[in-house]
Amino acid sequence: MELIKDIQTMRSYIKRIQEGKIVGFVPTMGHLHEGHLSLIKKGREESDVLVVSIFVNPTQFEPGGDFKSYPRNLEWDMKLAEAEGVDVIFAPSVEEIYPGGYSTFVEVEGHLTSILEGESRPGHFRGVTTILAKLFNIVSPDRTYFGEKDYQQALVVRKLVRDLNLNIEIVPLPTVREQDGLALSSRNSYLTPAERKAATVLYQSLLTAKKDIARGIRDATVISSHMEDLIRGQPLARIDYVAVIDPETLRRVERVEKEVLVAVAAKIGQTRLIDNLKIG
Ligand code: AMP
């Protein structure tokens, strides 16, 4: 496995290797866990050359966010990636990606980026689409892998790729969870043992919605209020949003007539976590 830290070397590596080969790409912010590894494994199966980027992207963190404290451990990540047969880790510095005077941003406008995470974290998706547009240009992948844990992000990236006519296939993959249902996330490492226990309330709230729907409840307001009641019962949790939405458009639904996406964001102590579940 190679470690590449600058854009020029990354570009020439791909050019040299690419002839007729499928390049798979898994963009991450590092601190790799089984969720990331599920994308890497799928990418390994489907690609001739597999590139994983590790870059904690400052432009997607809101002011006062956890950019500085975000967990970083390149050495450990490289060990995990190497064991999965990754060909290249692309781990540029912030200066390599955003040199002094940098001023270009890529933004998907409209509903998709203005609700849920877009509403709670203004500027977040602008940072995400900017870094991905840059990484796609640098790595030139044929396929790129995203986790449904960040469901809205996967939809936003799909829109970015369509709108900019990028010749890249977006492959979404299911959320990997701990035994008790908590979705794996690099941010779980912030949780104290008590918070870690409390954090399962997010997944439990999604299961509550699933049960409601299975019981024939169709009114989205009733479903969300059951979810909210459950989360409010957990003293360490503070709800950011609970939403019952159309999985394609991300518009809120009033009645559950077909498949819906149930999404939740909450703070557990100081740590903001998100989760979602598609319910057929
Ligand atoms: P991040 O490092 O948090 O930016 O995530 C990098 C990629 O891994 C994104 O596509 C995430 O959606 C995906 N990912 C993160 N957590 C999980 C998980 N628990 N299951 C599946 N994919 C995940």
Side-chain angles (χ1 to χ4, degrees):
M1 185 175 79
E2 302 209 19
L3 171 64
I4 298 178
K5 293 192 169 183
D6 69 282
I7 295 170
Q8 201 43 52
T9 314
M10 188 66 236
R11 283 225 156 102
S12 0
Y13 177 93
I14 287 293
K15 230 190 179 132
R16 184 157 45 80
I17 215 107
Q18 200 160 19
E19 277 175 27
K21 289 186 176 162
I22 299 291
V23 177
F25 178 43
V26 180
T28 81
M29 298 207 298
H31 201 253
L32 300 183
H33 52 62
E34 287 294 332
H36 298 116
L37 296 185
S38 72
L39 311 183
I40 291 174
K41 286 189 168 97
K42 188 72 175 171
R44 183 64 286 171
E45 266 171 49
E46 297 187 346
S47 336
D48 298 305
V49 180
L50 182 63
V51 181
V52 172
S53 66
I54 295 183
F55 181 65
V56 184
N57 174 37
T59 62
Q60 73 189 71
F61 288 78
E62 51 279 44
D66 58 347
F67 172 68
K68 282 221 171 87
S69 57
Y70 197 85
R72 293 162 170 90
N73 191 345
L74 182 58
E75 241 174 77
W76 175 245
D77 287 348
M78 285 187 57
K79 279 200 184 111
L80 290 181
E82 178 132 51
E84 298 297 338
V86 170
D87 294 297
V88 181
I89 292 283
F90 180 50
S93 66
V94 170
E95 297 69 37
E96 179 76 5
I97 294 293
Y98 300 114
Y102 186 89
S103 65
T104 302
F105 291 84
V106 179
E107 191 160 8
V108 171
E109 293 184 347
H111 179 72
L112 219 49
T113 53
S114 52
I115 49 148
L116 307 180
E117 291 304 287
E119 194 174 346
S120 295
R121 306 180 66 189
H124 168 68
F125 284 122
R126 178 180 189 254
V128 168
T129 43
T130 298
I131 185 61
L132 287 174
K134 287 169 70 72
L135 290 171
F136 291 164
N137 270 325
I138 296 163
V139 175
S140 304
D142 297 287
R143 277 198 204 104
T144 169
Y145 299 83
F146 286 87
E148 288 187 335
K149 196 307 217 114
D150 302 281
Y151 187 93
Q152 185 178 12
Q153 169 174 278
L155 284 197
V156 171
V157 179
R158 193 176 71 183
K159 186 79 165 63
L160 168 82
V161 162
R162 280 189 190 158
D163 285 357
L164 292 183
N165 306 101
L166 302 178
N167 194 15
I168 302 173
E169 187 192 342
I170 305 291
V171 183
L173 291 169
T175 303
V176 177
R177 302 180 177 281
E178 302 277 9
Q179 289 236 311
D180 62 4
L182 178 67
L184 296 189
S185 161
S186 306
R187 289 192 169 96
N188 293 350
S189 64
Y190 297 147
L191 301 170
T192 65
E195 290 167 352
R196 168 64 189 79
K197 264 195 188 156
T200 57
V201 79
L202 273 84
Y203 185 59
Q204 281 158 13
S205 75
L206 301 174
L207 292 182
T208 300
K210 191 175 175 176
K211 271 187 220 139
D212 275 356
I213 293 170
R215 272 180 20 215
I217 298 179
R218 294 291 171 262
D219 185 338
T221 322
V222 173
I223 297 167
S224 335
S225 68
H226 286 165
M227 293 174 70
E228 285 166 3
D229 290 347
L230 184 90
I231 301 171
R232 288 209 186 93
Q234 171 48 254
L236 292 174
R238 215 171 62 241
I239 300 173
D240 181 355
Y241 60 74
V242 157
V244 182
I245 50 189
D246 180 302
E248 280 300 312
T249 62
L250 298 192
R251 301 248 173 225
R252 287 188 190 255
V253 302
E254 281 175 23
R255 287 190 60 76
V256 179
E257 312 281 11
K258 53 184 180 76
E259 187 178 57
V260 288
L261 184 82
V262 180
V264 59
K267 267 196 160 180
I268 305 293
Q270 294 305 306
T271 304
R272 187 174 178 282
L273 300 177
I274 59 173
D275 202 350
N276 68 79
L277 191 66
K278 248 189 209 172
I279 304 173

